[in-house]
Amino acid sequence: MNDMNPPPLSPFRTGLACRCPRCGKGRLFAGFLDLRPRCEACGLEYDFADAGDGPAVFVIFFAGIIVVGSALITEVLYAPPFWVHALLWGPLILATTLLPLRSMKGLMIALQYHHKAAESRPGAGSP
């Protein structure tokens, strides 16, 4: 392949690393979850990106399985007082929801770019 059409990058590699889905070099986010307007390396406009609530839903399901499962096992095996539950599961909830959220949003945006997903528009496509 020539330099004008490099092979496509893995959306999993670029998305989870929070890098530009086209070049893999530019940063995707300006803040914790705020997208940059464009890639600083290749100039790709990020106006196509709309992850919506998808990343949060996946993270909530993942965190729910871990936290609820752990709390139930702990309750059945040890029956600790409620303050111990609060002490244990509060930080775990924060860790399992906040840590993966940015990478999951980056992955969803990279998958949108990779699959050329766009917002539905009236009159476009088949009826």
Side-chain angles (χ1 to χ4, degrees):
M1 294 207 142
N2 60 21
D3 289 335
M4 294 305 292
N5 293 321
L9 299 173
S10 165
F12 293 98
R13 179 172 285 165
T14 58
L16 293 174
C18 300
R19 294 294 178 179
C20 172
R22 181 165 66 187
C23 70
K25 294 183 177 116
R27 291 177 292 175
L28 196 57
F29 297 105
F32 182 63
L33 291 175
D34 295 329
L35 279 179
R36 293 178 176 278
R38 72 191 57 77
C39 174
E40 67 227 10
C42 71
L44 174 66
E45 298 281 336
Y46 294 144
D47 57 355
F48 69 89
D50 182 21
D53 292 334
V57 170
F58 288 121
V59 167
I60 288 169
F61 284 145
F62 173 73
I65 291 169
I66 292 172
V67 174
V68 172
S70 300
L72 287 173
I73 290 170
T74 302
E75 179 62 31
V76 169
L77 293 178
Y78 305 108
F82 289 122
W83 66 268
V84 173
H85 280 294
L87 201 65
L88 289 174
W89 311 126
L92 185 61
I93 289 168
L94 291 174
T96 58
T97 54
L98 294 179
L99 293 178
L101 189 56
R102 185 176 184 182
S103 294
M104 188 60 67
K105 184 172 181 177
L107 175 61
M108 298 290 274
I109 291 168
L111 286 170
Q112 281 180 339
Y113 177 79
H114 179 75
H115 294 288
K116 297 173 180 58
E119 192 175 317
S120 176
R121 291 186 173 70
S126 60

